[in-house]
């Protein structure tokens, strides 16, 4: 596979195997193809992993469906027409302890839901999604600088919207907050446990465990893309 620039020149290339993702049942074992490598996974491990993913409840906040051609940013803008949702996609903040800018979430609800939205079910995209939710939640819990910066950013973007004053410099009660992951895809009736790539499920289980240890509620919801 080749990536080409506007002049038709090849700028990067990679093997076709890296484009393929599969989970195959054969001879009582599960085989996973990811990033060009095959893995044999214990059936007991797969069963335990799937139980953990199935146990993640959907959010009470139902997000509107989208289309297959709507990009993530445009979807978030449209969703924020809801007066109970504030658009924070691409509204990053910086704090002295971090060298890179941090996104609080894509959509913030008046019910204290930190909603992180991602299009498609690619492993790399989902890894970014899960990490975004974890980093933001950790900093909300532990960093007064981050809470102060988040408070200021929310003031800047909320306009006439009300109900978004619950993040202050004071420590938060994590049990009052929900880290809500929402994935837009053509689900075709599939549950997340059946559609998520194997290593994304492994990553998600780890992230959920860490967030729950901190006291956050964690949800996983589907956004149907027709």
């Amino acid at each position: 596979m080749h990536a080409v620039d506007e002049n038709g020149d090849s700028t990067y290339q990679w093997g076709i195997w890296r484009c393929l993702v599969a989970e195959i049942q054969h001879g009582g074992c599960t085989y996973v193809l990811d990033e060009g490598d095959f893995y044999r996974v214990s059936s007991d491990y797969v069963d335990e992993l799937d139980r953990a993913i199935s146990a993640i409840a959907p959010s009470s906040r139902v997000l509107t469906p989208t289309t297959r051609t709507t990009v993530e940013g445009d979807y978030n803008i449209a969703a924020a027409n809801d007066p109970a949702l504030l658009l924070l996609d691409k509204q990053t903040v910086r704090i002295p302890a971090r060298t890179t800018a941090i996104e609080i979430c894509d959509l913030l609800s008046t019910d204290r839901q930190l909603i992180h939205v991602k299009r498609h079910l690619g492993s790399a995209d989902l890894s970014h999604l899960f990490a975004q939710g974890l980093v933001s939640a950790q900093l909300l819990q532990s960093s007064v600088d981050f809470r102060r910066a988040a408070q200021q950013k929310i003031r800047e973007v909320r306009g006439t919207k009300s109900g978004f004053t619950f993040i202050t410099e004071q420590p938060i009660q994590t049990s009052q907050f929900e880290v809500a992951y929402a994935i837009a895809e053509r689900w075709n009736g599939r549950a997340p446990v059946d559609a998520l790539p194997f290593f994304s499920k492994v990553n998600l289980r780890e992230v959920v465990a860490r967030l729950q240890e901190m006291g956050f509620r964690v949800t996983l919801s589907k956004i149907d893309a027709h």
Side-chain angles (χ1 to χ4, degrees), residues 35-76:
E35 288 289 329
D37 292 318
F38 268 110
Y39 302 85
R40 185 175 66 180
V41 186
S42 159
S43 295
D44 290 343
Y45 182 89
V46 172
D47 291 343
E48 190 278 329
L49 176 63
D50 285 350
R51 283 194 296 270
I53 300 304
S54 296
I56 306 171
S59 178
S60 61
R61 173 78 51 186
V62 178
L63 296 175
T64 58
T66 185
T67 69
R68 286 179 289 168
T69 57
T70 303
V71 298
E72 183 181 315
D74 289 345
Y75 175 81
N76 290 332

Side-chain angles (χ1 to χ4, degrees), residues 34-160:
D34 187 81
E35 288 289 329
D37 292 318
F38 268 110
Y39 302 85
R40 185 175 66 180
V41 186
S42 159
S43 295
D44 290 343
Y45 182 89
V46 172
D47 291 343
E48 190 278 329
L49 176 63
D50 285 350
R51 283 194 296 270
I53 300 304
S54 296
I56 306 171
S59 178
S60 61
R61 173 78 51 186
V62 178
L63 296 175
T64 58
T66 185
T67 69
R68 286 179 289 168
T69 57
T70 303
V71 298
E72 183 181 315
D74 289 345
Y75 175 81
N76 290 332
I77 291 171
N81 287 327
D82 185 332
L85 293 175
L86 185 65
L87 180 66
L88 291 176
D89 183 21
K90 301 181 179 64
Q91 298 293 329
T92 58
V93 299
R94 291 184 176 274
I95 59 174
R98 293 273 176 160
T99 57
T100 57
I102 304 145
E103 202 167 70
I104 304 163
C105 58
D106 293 312
L107 298 163
L108 180 67
S109 84
T110 52
D111 293 326
R112 307 190 184 199
Q113 294 157 319
L114 303 156
I115 304 170
H116 303 272
V117 178
K118 186 59 65 179
R119 286 299 314 263
H120 307 306
L121 290 165
S123 293
D125 288 339
L126 294 178
S127 293
H128 175 78
L129 175 73
F130 302 149
Q132 179 188 32
L134 177 61
V135 168
S136 171
Q138 286 175 324
L139 290 173
L140 277 175
Q141 181 196 42
S142 64
S143 172
V144 64
D145 287 335
F146 184 73
R147 292 194 296 271
R148 185 182 296 120
Q151 180 187 39
Q152 178 60 37
K153 180 60 67 175
I154 290 168
R155 285 173 179 164
E156 291 174 6
V157 303
R158 73 186 184 199
T160 59

